[in-house]
Amino acid sequence: MTIMQIIFLITASVTLFAALMVVSTRKMMHAAMWLILVLFGVTITFALLETRFFAIVQLVIYIGAIAILIIFAVMLTRRSMNADVPQVNRNWWLVMVSSLALFVGLVTVMSVWEGFFVTARTAPPGGENLVQLGTALVDPNGFVLPFEVASLVLLAAMVGAIYVAAERKEK
Amino acid sequence: MNLSDYYAITPLVFLVCWAIFLLLVDLWIPAGRKGITALLSAAGLLIALVLVLRSGEQVLTAFEGSVVVDGFSVFLSVLFLVSALAGIALAHDYLQRLGLERGEYYPLLLISTSGMMLMTYAYDLIEVFLALELLSIPLYILAGFSRLNLESEEASLKYFLLGAFSSGFVLYGVGLVFAATGYTDFPGIAKAAQNGSLNPTLFLIGAGLVLTGFGFKSALVPFHMWSPDVYQGAPSPVTAFMSVGAKAAGFAALLRVFVVVFPGMSVNLTPLLWALAALTMFVGNIVALVQSNIKRLLAYSSIAHSGYLLMAFVPYGNASVRSDAIAGMLFYLAAYCLTTFGAWAVVIALEKAEGKGLELEDYAGLGHRYPFLAATMTIFLLSFTGVPLTLGFWGKFYLFSTAVEGGFWQLALIGLLTSLISAYYYLRVVVIMYMRPGTPQVQRNFWPLLTSGVGALAVVILGIAPGVLLNLAVSALLKGL
């Protein structure tokens, strides 16, 4: 077992444990903190796969922006900050059994696929070729249409968020 | 850089630019005069309509084959643009009356319409998913447009959560199909399916997940739970637009994806589709029987109509029936669009603030006081039922005959039986309107009355001469058929 494998095993188990804590802890704030640990674990996994770009994106966007945003949202809504309500309802065991069954089923199905056992490919020497990624996003022969549509989706979501959240002057 | 790529999707590009332009212009339009925004957006839709019709019947491919403009997409684009026009005609007075007059309504409606149009153009699973999001996100907001009304907020949140959930299903399905074949574009997947160079299990699960996601959007039983609450809580013009547009877009995606990409899967999927269609027809019609609120009644009736539409889709794997099935579904969608907007226009004319005026009892006496409204509503309800000489009859006739042609006479029988059940709750409204005494209160606004008048006229005229619409539906061919 190489050092890399040991690091991977430790990262993976910490990530999985933290993910479990995100959904099982009672305090929203704690869940947000555990979420940061999960995202950090994913960052390390990306780094182990030698994909620098994705590791940095994961770090900057997910931890730097999204997780912090979640923490702000929790802090600004006082009731959810102190909420200590039960995490599960009566049907929790039913859900657990069915999600476990789903998991086992998916793994069984996927294991018949030869791609399931291929060892992870590392990035080619010289990095992930960011220039290609960048031009593909604005190239008509690449992904310019999905890219523009995605920005339109974000615009609509932004207008909606402002509409829903903004204070109304009248009344 | 290739200009012909952009030429193919001019209507879409124009509509999107117009929506963004409206967002800006609306800032200078003073509150209380948002009718100007409404007129501007209607003008934009009309221009887009001309641009769509201009491209005619030629088949264009653009953006490396990820977008296709063909007769099918032109037919449905026209349907969506007309729906959006009706959505605006119904909305303006309504929003003013309920104190919701805000300019954001119109750009959001246009963006949602452009998402629906993109859905009909999409020839790549990535575009399909993005189109789904583009049409859904504005609808989530529009459903909650009546911000201070708890029911509307509930509708919005419910629609958002379940919609996000169903988008997850579609995305997971797309991912599995990509994993199974290595392609996201339709021709690539279809070729991989023909060569057998794919993983059949993953492919089947992927197709099933995609079906589930679209089932949510089109409100098929058992994925229909959200629709009655959302239809009831959302402002009525939004409900009308949603029940036509989102449903038609869901079916458009279903048709395009399954006919082009998954024709070989029909052996596995047919029993599933059969069960879904039968369940949807039964549950929609039977639950509608006990509704006393007109919005909920129309919501369940819209679920039932999804069932009829799906029925024609069941034999899609059978190549000899396929083009008939598509033509039948397009015809039915057009009939459903005209009838639904007309009926909602009448509902809007009677609706009052705080959800009043929506019980069936509020329609008592409409026949004597407002004969025009009652007559149009009767025409729409008869058309929903499928009484001969209305457009709805021909719609059902073509769907049922496709199902029989495809060898699914049991389904057609279920369709007939459930139509009989539906006659009870549709005709009950007619009976209440004409037989019960009452003093209904009606808001007489020009645009809703015009919508219901035009709808009624179209339903009657096309009901007498359905050949015109049928010819259009038949010639609206899918590329690759």
Side-chain angles (χ1 to χ4, degrees):
Chain A
M1 198 183 277
T2 63
I3 296 178
M4 281 302 209
Q5 280 168 325
I6 295 170
I7 296 177
F8 171 73
L9 281 179
I10 295 172
T11 323
S13 42
V14 169
T15 311
L16 284 179
F17 174 73
L20 209 63
M21 290 306 287
V22 172
V23 290
S24 61
T25 185
R26 284 188 174 196
K27 290 224 159 50
M28 285 287 266
M29 200 61 179
H30 294 183
M33 294 297 180
W34 283 112
L35 185 65
I36 292 183
L37 191 58
V38 175
L39 296 171
F40 196 67
V42 178
T43 310
I44 295 176
T45 316
F46 274 131
L48 287 176
L49 290 169
E50 292 177 30
T51 48
R52 285 167 283 175
F53 178 64
F54 287 114
I56 288 174
V57 165
Q58 181 77 19
L59 191 70
V60 173
I61 310 242
Y62 281 88
I63 301 180
I66 295 178
I68 300 300
L69 208 63
I70 291 176
I71 290 177
F72 266 109
V74 173
M75 278 161 65
L76 287 174
T77 46
R78 196 172 299 150
R79 269 176 62 197
S80 74
M81 179 88 171
N82 300 323
D84 207 9
V85 289
Q87 194 74 344
V88 291
N89 62 13
R90 272 181 306 155
N91 295 330
W92 68 273
W93 56 274
L94 199 70
V95 176
M96 193 176 76
V97 169
S98 49
S99 51
L100 272 180
L102 187 69
F103 179 71
V104 171
L106 274 177
V107 171
T108 329
V109 168
M110 297 229 188
S111 63
V112 298
W113 175 40
E114 69 272 21
F116 196 62
F117 297 104
V118 173
T119 46
R121 252 172 280 165
T122 49
E128 307 98 302
N129 210 343
L130 289 181
V131 179
Q132 247 177 18
L133 180 68
T135 42
L137 284 182
V138 291
D139 186 4
N141 299 328
F143 297 95
V144 71
L145 191 63
F147 183 68
E148 293 296 338
V149 172
S151 58
L152 194 62
V153 169
L154 289 179
L155 174 73
M158 224 149 52
V159 171
I162 293 169
Y163 178 78
V164 171
E167 287 283 329
R168 198 69 68 79
K169 274 187 207 132
E170 70 263 39
K171 285 180 205 163
Chain B
M1 184 70 186
N2 200 343
L3 269 182
S4 71
D5 285 347
Y6 296 96
Y7 174 75
I9 58 163
T10 339
L12 189 66
V13 174
F14 172 78
L15 200 60
V16 167
C17 293
W18 194 264
I20 295 170
F21 163 72
L22 272 182
L23 265 181
L24 289 175
V25 168
D26 184 58
L27 292 176
W28 281 278
I29 294 176
R33 305 193 59 188
K34 296 295 181 194
I36 302 172
T37 322
L39 277 180
L40 278 177
S41 53
L45 287 168
L46 282 175
I47 298 173
L49 197 61
V50 172
L51 289 174
V52 166
L53 290 173
R54 172 221 56 173
S55 66
E57 292 185 359
Q58 51 184 327
V59 178
L60 300 168
T61 5
F63 294 103
E64 295 283 283
S66 68
V67 159
V68 162
V69 182
D70 52 12
F72 175 77
S73 60
V74 169
F75 188 94
L76 281 170
S77 296
V78 171
L79 189 81
F80 294 139
L81 290 170
V82 170
S83 308
L85 276 172
I88 288 170
L90 295 185
H92 177 58
D93 290 324
Y94 180 90
L95 295 179
Q96 214 166 26
R97 199 188 325 150
L98 270 64
L100 301 170
E101 199 183 25
R102 299 275 301 188
E104 286 88 350
Y105 181 90
Y106 306 102
L108 286 174
L109 194 80
L110 294 198
I111 292 179
S112 182
T113 312
S114 65
M116 290 166 188
M117 282 169 66
L118 182 64
M119 187 66 109
T120 66
Y121 295 161
Y123 219 58
D124 186 307
L125 288 176
I126 297 175
E127 317 286 354
V128 169
F129 176 72
L130 280 168
L132 189 69
E133 289 302 288
L134 189 60
L135 81 91
S136 305
I137 286 179
L139 283 181
Y140 302 148
I141 304 155
L142 291 175
F145 207 75
S146 172
R147 255 193 12 173
L148 303 173
N149 176 348
L150 277 184
E151 268 187 6
S152 176
E153 274 181 14
E154 183 198 332
S156 176
L157 193 64
K158 227 173 223 176
Y159 194 31
F160 171 64
L161 287 178
L162 286 174
F165 196 56
S166 71
S167 296
F169 274 98
V170 174
L171 198 57
Y172 201 3
V174 169
L176 286 182
V177 169
F178 178 62
T181 61
Y183 293 96
T184 58
D185 60 315
F186 292 0
I189 301 171
K191 214 163 84 191
Q194 255 170 10
N195 300 340
S197 61
L198 51 71
N199 180 326
T201 343
L202 278 188
F203 194 55
L204 186 62
I205 297 178
L209 286 173
V210 171
L211 177 66
T212 311
F214 292 151
F216 264 108
K217 278 284 161 254
S218 315
L220 302 174
V221 178
F223 316 119
H224 68 292
M225 296 301 185
W226 57 273
S227 81
D229 291 344
V230 173
Y231 283 17
Q232 190 186 3
S236 300
V238 178
T239 312
F241 179 66
M242 194 156 61
S243 68
V244 174
K247 189 177 300 263
F251 273 105
L254 211 60
L255 272 172
R256 180 82 90 180
V257 173
F258 279 77
V259 168
V260 178
V261 180
F262 304 128
M265 314 285 292
S266 56
V267 188
N268 298 314
L269 288 176
T270 299
L272 201 66
L273 290 170
W274 197 100
L276 280 178
L279 253 180
T280 311
M281 286 187 282
F282 263 121
V283 172
N285 280 312
I286 287 175
V287 183
L289 287 178
V290 295
Q291 302 304 324
S292 64
N293 179 303
I294 187 86
K295 279 176 107 172
R296 281 189 94 80
L297 187 139
L298 286 176
Y300 279 105
S301 117
S302 129
I303 294 174
H305 287 286
S306 297
Y308 298 128
L309 276 163
L310 192 65
M311 176 172 60
F313 189 60
V314 175
Y316 83 98
N318 187 341
S320 57
V321 194
R322 198 181 292 154
S323 52
D324 282 356
I326 295 170
M329 285 172 81
L330 289 178
F331 184 92
Y332 197 83
L333 278 174
Y336 174 77
C337 166
L338 288 169
T339 320
T340 304
F341 274 111
W344 280 101
V346 177
V347 171
I348 284 167
L350 267 90
E351 184 171 352
K352 289 192 281 293
E354 291 163 8
K356 299 240 168 55
L358 290 172
E359 294 302 309
L360 291 187
E361 293 308 316
D362 296 319
Y363 285 74
L366 197 71
H368 303 292
R369 285 301 187 88
Y370 300 97
F372 171 71
L373 273 183
T376 54
M377 190 66 171
T378 309
I379 292 172
F380 300 132
L381 293 171
L382 290 178
S383 176
F384 272 142
T385 322
V387 172
L389 283 184
T390 60
L391 196 53
F393 165 74
W394 294 108
K396 278 190 181 163
F397 176 77
Y398 294 131
L399 290 186
F400 291 0
S401 61
T402 323
V404 173
E405 252 179 85
F408 294 97
W409 59 269
Q410 303 96 325
L411 260 188
L413 198 65
I414 294 177
L416 267 180
L417 277 177
T418 49
S419 295
L420 277 181
I421 298 175
S422 76
Y424 172 75
Y425 63 84
Y426 288 131
L427 295 183
R428 194 167 56 142
V429 181
V430 178
V431 169
I432 290 176
M433 284 194 302
Y434 282 101
M435 308 286 187
R436 299 249 183 101
T439 46
Q441 287 171 340
V442 166
Q443 272 79 26
R444 283 171 165 277
N445 286 315
F446 174 67
W447 293 105
L449 289 183
L450 180 76
T451 313
S452 88
V454 169
L457 210 62
V459 167
V460 170
I461 291 178
L462 290 174
I464 293 166
V468 189
L469 188 57
L470 187 67
N471 281 338
L472 286 175
V474 168
S475 60
L477 273 185
L478 269 173
K479 179 179 184 277
L481 264 187

